[in-house]
Amino acid sequence: MRLGLGGGAAICLRAVGALLLFVHLLVVAWLTLRPIDAPWVTAANLRPFASIAADFALGAVHGMCGLAEGLALLAPAGVLLPLVSGRLWVSPWASLARTAGAGLLISLTIELLQTGVPGRVLDVDSLILNTLGVALAHALIVPAGRAAIRRRLRASASGRVAAADGRVAPRGDVYDPDAVPEGEAPEGHTPTIPRVGIAP
């Protein structure tokens, strides 16, 4: 089921998500597909965790920076992809699988394109870290965000039903002509006096 925030609000939210995702992918392309002037480049790495181990061999700080860069590169897509899809009532595991799969495809596309860019090589560890970053960002943010929106929608729906049954007290900042303090007549109401005789 798509977002139930009202037609205009849902469309606006998805449009903003699509715009942010487009900008994010442009930034990623600029960071990863620019040619690098280097006297030499390493060979393509097809062995999982080999480049990560090499980074840590140069020092813990260097290794941690490499891990952080790999995880953060596509992490925003883990939140923006579900926002663009607009699904609200969906299994968290199915959503995670779809988003991680999309992140894997995006990262794989980048790695394959890098094979034709001077100074860039294919690295399977980048593929692993990018996909893991997408999955982590999704798992940490999206389920909680969807749950909060669902609670808000349920509360709004309950309020509308209760209001239809006359069980909700009127808001103080909204005029309600039926909200009259006990013992007072509504403003503008003229009291009537019963006739006790016949007028001459």
Side-chain angles (χ1 to χ4, degrees), residues 6 14-15 17 24 27 71-72 85 89 91 100 111 113 127 140 157 167 194:
R14 294 177 65 188
H24 172 246
V27 173
L71 292 172
S85 74
W89 307 90
S91 166
E111 293 299 319
L113 290 175
L127 186 66
L140 292 174
R167 292 184 285 106

Side-chain angles (χ1 to χ4, degrees), residues 18-192:
L19 177 61
L20 292 176
L21 180 62
F22 178 73
V23 172
H24 172 246
L25 293 179
L26 282 181
V27 173
V28 169
W30 182 78
L31 291 174
T32 58
L33 300 178
R34 289 180 302 159
I36 297 178
D37 291 330
W40 61 274
V41 293
T42 59
N45 172 38
L46 299 180
R47 189 159 57 94
F49 309 114
S51 62
I52 295 176
D55 286 341
F56 275 97
L58 297 176
V61 175
H62 186 77
M64 293 301 296
C65 287
L67 279 180
E69 289 176 3
L71 292 172
L73 182 65
L74 291 180
V79 178
L80 295 175
L81 285 170
L83 183 62
V84 173
S85 74
R87 289 185 175 90
L88 183 59
W89 307 90
V90 63
S91 166
W93 296 109
S95 179
L96 177 62
R98 277 194 301 267
T99 304
L104 175 64
L105 291 177
I106 294 171
S107 182
L108 180 60
T109 300
I110 292 171
E111 293 299 319
L112 293 177
L113 290 175
Q114 283 182 335
T115 59
V117 178
R120 304 280 187 176
V121 295
L122 187 148
D123 188 353
V124 69
D125 286 346
S126 295
L127 186 66
I128 294 172
L129 291 176
N130 294 164
T131 305
L132 184 58
V134 171
L136 285 175
H138 183 283
L140 292 174
I141 297 175
V142 174
R146 282 176 170 158
I149 294 174
R150 287 195 296 265
R151 285 194 300 269
R152 178 182 174 186
L153 291 176
R154 288 192 186 102
S156 178
S158 299
R160 286 195 298 270
V161 171
D165 294 340
R167 292 184 285 106
V168 172
R171 291 172 50 188
D173 59 342
V174 178
Y175 172 70
D176 184 356
D178 296 326
V180 180
E182 185 178 354
E184 297 183 13
E187 185 177 350
H189 177 73
T190 304
T192 57

